[in-house]
């Protein structure tokens, strides 16, 4: 693994279970034990009912593109090699919206509503990042790109 020069997540008491899950290639989210709301970002309180009673659940890793942008400018030098790249909000099947990258297809192939699945990127010994790739379906005509 080459030295990773991009920013890494800031782990805190609320999100450490999420990042621990990512290291194991498991997408974990908090679920309110009172109202059932599944939330992201991780927080001490449920934003729906303010309950502090929380359990962690594993998401299936599938969703759809809610919205996206194609970056043609690298605001940090470490991202230049990726240009152009896609930053997207993925709406997971379980409900949370996750800010991520779309990989495995060209930026011109990404559309809102496109089905995607998690594609783990191991960037350091401590961190694996959940990126998303198209669910390959013949009707989308997705060309394969390296991740
Ligand atoms: Zn709640």
């Amino acid at each position: 693994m080459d030295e990773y020069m991009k920013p890494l997540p800031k782990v805190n008491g609320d999100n450490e279970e999420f990042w621990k899950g990512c290291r194991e290639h498991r997408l974990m989210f908090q679920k309110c034990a009172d109202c059932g709301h599944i939330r992201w970002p991780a927080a001490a309180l449920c934003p729906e009912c303010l309950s502090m009673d929380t359990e962690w659940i594993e998401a299936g890793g599938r969703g759809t593109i809610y919205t996206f942008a194609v970056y043609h400018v690298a605001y940090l030098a470490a991202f230049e090699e990726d240009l152009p790249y896609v930053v997207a909000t993925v709406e997971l099947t379980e409900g949370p919206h996750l800010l991520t990258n779309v990989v495995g297809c060209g930026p011109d192939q990404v559309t809102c509503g496109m089905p995607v699945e998690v594609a783990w990127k191991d960037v350091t010994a401590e961190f694996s990042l959940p990126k998303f790739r198209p669910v390959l379906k013949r009707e989308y005509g997705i060309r394969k790109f390296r991740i």
Side-chain angles (χ1 to χ4, degrees):
M1 201 178 295
D2 295 335
E3 187 178 3
Y4 189 73
M5 302 300 290
K6 297 170 185 166
L8 289 169
K10 302 279 188 244
V11 179
N12 61 39
D14 289 329
N15 68 26
E16 67 180 336
E17 283 298 314
F18 175 83
W19 292 113
K20 182 178 159 205
C22 288
R23 208 167 45 235
E24 301 166 353
H25 293 186
R26 302 170 68 209
L27 208 46
M28 304 297 291
F29 291 99
Q30 290 172 304
K31 180 178 181 181
C32 177
D34 285 322
C35 77
H37 178 69
I38 299 171
R39 65 182 182 263
W40 179 255
L45 295 175
C46 172
E48 296 295 318
C49 74
L50 304 181
S51 171
M52 293 184 74
D53 200 1
T54 298
E55 59 185 339
W56 286 85
I57 61 149
E58 182 174 0
R62 291 222 170 182
T64 56
I65 302 291
Y66 184 79
T67 190
F68 70 98
V70 179
Y71 278 55
H72 294 275
V73 174
Y75 295 99
L76 291 173
F79 288 90
E80 285 179 11
E81 66 188 21
D82 299 335
L83 293 174
Y85 63 92
V86 177
V87 175
T89 299
V90 168
E91 182 176 39
L92 294 163
T93 304
E94 292 81 1
H97 286 195
L98 194 63
L99 189 64
T100 183
N101 296 120
V102 178
V103 297
C105 69
D108 60 324
Q109 294 179 297
V110 178
T111 60
C112 290
M114 186 169 82
V116 290
E117 63 187 1
V118 69
W120 294 103
K121 178 81 172 176
D122 301 327
V123 296
T124 69
E126 295 82 28
F127 289 103
S128 295
L129 303 180
K131 300 184 181 245
F132 283 78
R133 65 179 168 226
V135 173
L136 296 177
K137 287 187 173 177
R138 188 165 291 150
E139 63 263 33
Y140 289 99
I142 299 298
R143 299 187 308 266
K144 279 210 155 192
F145 281 69
R146 72 179 175 81
I147 294 175

